[in-house]
Amino acid sequence: MRIWKILLLAVLFTGCGDNYTPKPRGYFRIDFPEKTYSQLPGNYPYSFDIPDYSSIQHDSRNANEPYWINVEIPENKSEFHISYFDLKKAGKTNREFLIELMEETRRLAYEHSIKASSIEEQIFINNASHVYGTIYRIRGNAASPMQFFLTDSTQHFLRGAFYIREVPDIDSLRPVIDFLEPDVIRLIETTNWE
């Protein structure tokens, strides 16, 4: 019994000589694919470029709207919701319906102001393709970091929203947002009406 006590004391004294150094905090590594684009497949009244690492799904919550789609990026739990409206089929004047849709898009973007630290508006104009609109960059812990609308002011109206299906934590989602924001901008810049 006495030998065990001596042996235990020897182990305790020799084991306490090392200094403990905590490991630095680690973060998950996110591997992003190379950016390549293709034109939106299918027959829609609009066209634009989408990332090759995305897929197109019809919006199942709005099955009666054939031109409402989701550009999904499953690896990043992200999607771009696209809603399309024909301004001539509203039962109102084109101008009235356009103003109503523009205001609704603005309202939807500013609903995120509760969690957002700021919302920046940027005007988009592409005279050659007759595409005009506004981009809303939503900063902070909001569910949607970017929303936009595009129109030709007479017939077409396209609304888009970028969502990440995770709990909004800007610090951990920033790399994904920074990677996917250029894809939304590419979509906007390449939009054409069919």
Side-chain angles (χ1 to χ4, degrees):
M1 186 80 162
R2 191 175 212 161
I3 294 176
W4 285 106
K5 288 181 181 179
I6 294 171
L7 191 57
L8 181 62
L9 285 173
V11 169
L12 285 174
F13 285 120
T14 58
C16 294
D18 292 337
N19 290 333
Y20 174 74
T21 306
K23 292 183 179 181
R25 183 175 212 151
Y27 297 96
F28 292 109
R29 178 181 169 148
I30 302 173
D31 290 323
F32 293 114
E34 182 180 336
K35 286 198 177 287
T36 55
Y37 298 93
S38 300
Q39 192 168 39
L40 175 70
N43 189 19
Y44 299 98
Y46 51 83
S47 67
F48 46 71
D49 288 352
I50 59 170
D52 288 337
Y53 42 83
S54 67
S55 63
I56 302 299
Q57 302 296 326
H58 287 282
D59 189 343
S60 59
R61 291 174 289 184
N62 294 288
N64 59 339
E65 298 289 348
Y67 303 126
W68 289 31
I69 61 172
N70 294 323
V71 179
E72 297 183 353
I73 299 112
E75 292 80 21
N76 301 119
K77 297 181 181 179
S78 304
E79 56 198 6
F80 311 148
H81 290 288
I82 304 296
S83 308
Y84 173 79
F85 299 90
D86 185 342
L87 296 176
K88 292 184 177 183
K89 294 184 178 179
K92 306 173 185 179
T93 67
N94 297 9
R95 183 172 171 80
E96 287 174 332
F97 193 39
L98 175 63
I99 291 169
E100 182 181 308
L101 290 171
M102 288 170 57
E103 185 54 35
E104 182 181 10
T105 303
R106 183 181 179 288
R107 182 186 56 77
L108 289 170
Y110 277 88
E111 280 183 358
H112 296 278
S113 64
I114 295 168
K115 295 280 187 173
S117 57
S118 69
I119 298 177
E120 302 165 10
E121 293 184 28
Q122 178 183 354
I123 303 300
F124 177 79
I125 299 172
N126 181 343
N127 286 322
S129 297
H130 304 287
V131 179
Y132 316 96
T134 301
I135 303 167
Y136 301 93
R137 294 178 194 266
I138 304 165
R139 306 292 185 212
N141 286 328
S144 175
M146 183 182 259
Q147 296 191 15
F148 64 90
F149 75 83
L150 302 171
T151 185
D152 65 351
S153 301
T154 58
Q155 181 175 349
H156 305 284
F157 187 92
L158 190 77
R159 180 171 49 224
F162 167 23
Y163 286 100
I164 299 177
R165 297 293 174 208
E166 276 297 321
V167 176
D169 178 9
I170 195 64
D171 291 335
S172 60
L173 295 179
R174 176 55 51 203
V176 174
I177 293 168
D178 289 346
F179 178 75
L180 293 176
E181 260 191 19
D183 296 339
V184 177
I185 297 300
R186 173 83 179 236
L187 182 153
I188 292 167
E189 291 177 343
T190 58
T191 296
N192 284 297
W193 309 116
E194 301 296 324

